[in-house]
Amino acid sequence: MLVLAFDTATAAITVALYEWTPGEGAVPRGVAEAVDRRRHTELLTPSIAGVMAEAGAAPADLSAVAVGVGPGPYTGLRVGLVTARSMGDALSIPVHGACTLDIIAWATGRTEPFAVVTDARRKEVYWARYHSCRARATGPAVGAPSDVLDGAPAGLPVVGEGATLFPDVFGEGAHEPLLPTATALAELTVARLAGMKVPELLPPEPLYLRRPDAREPGPRKKVTRA
């Protein structure tokens, strides 16, 4: 099974190609990482092409596509989802989604409770709390940074870029990883498809927790003459 994974729900444009075979598990075939908050559209397709070329693989070799579904800013998130669905349709292969917070959580490898926090702008964060990297306890949610620790055990470790933006709430020592990686997404997807008890996969639809910042213009106001 050859799985192409990518996530554009944060500032990271991250792509990975993993091969899974029974008995050998998941083996990376190619990885591309970039961080740019404004160039998701420009960077994603070349990154996918580069990873495929690095592995000597063709699109027809793919067995599945995995994509991060957010939560995240509307524009960047949409780039990844549209690309994933388009590839799935063109190649007639399944497309699996995963919560971006779960992807970050999986990469920690933690076995004790912690929280994942990403930037939601508007002085808010996207967040979820976890029993371990394999099991989400609550969320995902969006709200004030203080919501993350409300009712949580004292000293709960906090992972993710969002924690670095509010040191007055989370302290100075936010734990890595700060951003999602496609390697973690690919590993999580393969683990779930192999029947392991890990966070569930989702349809390739955006996980919006609030309305997008961009809105369609309303009707023009009528002008009345005096």
Side-chain angles (χ1 to χ4, degrees), residues 9 75 92 165 181 202 217:
T75 303
S92 298
L165 303 176
T181 65
L202 304 170

Side-chain angles (χ1 to χ4, degrees), residues 5 10-11 15 18-19 28 34 42 44-45 51 68 78 90 97 113 131 142 152 161 168-169 176 178 187 197 219 225:
T10 67
V15 181
Y18 265 57
E19 185 172 13
E42 294 91 335
L44 179 59
T45 299
V51 165
R78 184 178 58 179
H131 297 300
V142 61
E161 181 188 36
D168 56 324
V169 177
E176 294 187 350
L178 300 182
E187 291 170 0
K197 292 183 178 181
R225 296 184 179 180

